[in-house]
Each structure stands twice: as C-alpha cells, then as structure tokens.
Amino acid sequence: MTDVAQAATEDKKPEKEADHHPYYRPKDAATLILVDRSSATPKVLVGKRHDNVVFMPGKFVFPGGRVDKADNRIPVAAAIPARA
C-alpha cells in the first residue's frame, strides 16, 4: 500500500448513524399492544421490521405509528369500559 493510500485509510473513522442522519425533533406517536385471549394461551400481535431499514432493522415491534393532525376527528366507535 502506498503512503497516500495508507494515510487515507488511517484518517477514515467508522461512520456513526448520527453522522449521516440529521437530528429530527421527536414526534407524537402511539403504540398498540393487542392481546388475544380467546384461547388458553394469550397471543400478542407484533410485526418484524425489514432487515434493510436504517432504524431498528430486523427487530420485532408492536404496531403503531405517528399521530396525524386528523386523528382527533375520527368518531369514537364505542365508549371505553371503566375497567380499561
């Protein structure tokens, strides 16, 4: 390896995620935890993130997403029971 190539290799530091992704102010979001208790063993709904996404690739996550401005305009389907 030439001296120039060696110097270029030594100067290159490993890239951190924050170095190539700008900071964004956090946004309101919601997560649902759905539990199916219709059988003897409860089941929880989760999704798996794609392996090629930047944030949390390949991780299992609960469904959810950002809160949109129009979300508060959706009519309520039924009253929430007191025990909930």
Side-chain angles (χ1 to χ4, degrees):
M1 192 179 291
T2 68
D3 291 339
V4 174
Q6 180 73 28
T9 305
E10 290 173 1
D11 288 342
K12 212 171 200 183
K13 294 178 182 174
E15 199 175 88
K16 293 185 225 161
E17 185 172 349
D19 293 339
H20 63 275
H21 291 289
Y23 172 78
Y24 292 105
R25 182 182 178 94
K27 295 182 174 133
D28 288 336
T31 297
L32 298 173
I33 300 176
L34 301 174
V35 181
D36 178 0
R37 292 190 173 118
S38 62
S39 63
T41 304
K43 299 176 206 161
V44 178
L45 177 67
V46 295
K48 184 173 188 251
R49 294 182 59 82
H50 195 279
D51 290 330
N52 293 335
V53 297
V54 173
F55 181 69
M56 295 178 49
K59 301 294 183 192
F60 288 95
V61 295
F62 294 112
R66 70 175 176 221
V67 176
D68 293 323
K69 289 180 183 179
D71 285 349
N72 65 352
R73 291 188 223 136
I74 298 171
V76 177
I80 298 174
R83 67 179 195 176

